[in-house]
Amino acid sequence: MKQTTFTPEIDSLLTSCDLPVKDLTNNESVLFFTERSNDQLTGVVGIEKYSTIGLLRSLAVTPTHRGKGLGRKLVRHTEKMAAEMEIHSLWLLTDTAADFFETLEYETANRSIAPEAIWQSTQFRDLCPDSAVLMTKDILP
């Protein structure tokens, strides 16, 4: 797994998966982890750090690599990196993958209990619709 910043290749994969990219150009606060096969990007996930909490975002896997555990691998790697960055909890918003994240022990949360930093994030305020499910998971005690 490689750590990187936002690139045109990541933009292309996220766009093809109908994920928002509007706030990612020139946004150095989001750290990405990528997986490649035969020098081609096959998966990506990002984490936006706010002190001791993080916003997990931009999880995408190419259609040819779905159903093989790559999404799970990307999320687990991000959780490990979050712990190393002393992030205590991860939060995310999803329109389509709540069931997937539940299998990874993320819990649905009422939007009203989101930490202030998450409330103020562009993803929460502007990019994800009110119908998006808010989920969270404790990483560190």
Side-chain angles (χ1 to χ4, degrees):
M1 202 120 341
K2 182 181 175 191
Q3 182 176 310
T4 186
T5 57
F6 190 66
T7 65
E9 189 178 35
I10 291 172
D11 184 309
S12 179
L13 177 56
L14 295 179
T15 301
S16 74
C17 294
D18 295 323
L19 293 173
V21 296
K22 178 173 115 176
D23 67 324
L24 295 174
T25 305
N26 300 322
N27 184 347
E28 309 230 347
S29 67
V30 181
L31 180 62
F32 290 95
F33 304 101
T34 60
E35 186 70 21
R36 303 183 82 75
S37 177
N38 299 319
D39 202 34
Q40 298 293 312
L41 181 66
T42 56
V44 65
V45 66
I47 186 169
E48 195 165 352
K49 184 178 181 190
Y50 297 99
S51 185
T52 60
I53 59 173
L55 181 63
L56 189 145
R57 56 178 300 171
S58 306
L59 175 63
V61 175
T62 59
T64 56
H65 287 82
R66 291 182 189 152
K68 300 176 183 177
L70 181 54
R72 181 177 301 273
K73 179 180 173 183
L74 286 161
V75 172
R76 292 291 189 219
H77 180 77
T78 303
E79 292 171 351
K80 179 181 172 214
M81 297 308 296
E84 289 180 14
M85 294 187 297
E86 298 184 1
I87 290 174
H88 295 246
S89 62
L90 284 174
W91 296 78
L92 64 91
L93 289 155
T94 182
D95 287 327
T96 59
D99 291 343
F100 168 77
F101 284 105
E102 282 178 0
T103 68
L104 296 172
E105 301 172 355
Y106 284 77
E107 297 178 359
T108 301
N110 188 302
R111 291 172 74 103
S112 66
I113 70 158
E116 180 69 21
I118 301 300
W119 269 93
Q120 294 301 319
S121 71
T122 302
Q123 189 176 36
F124 192 97
R125 273 192 347 260
D126 301 330
L127 299 178
C128 289
D130 290 343
S131 60
V133 176
L134 178 68
M135 302 184 85
T136 187
K137 180 178 182 178
D138 289 336
I139 302 299
L140 292 176

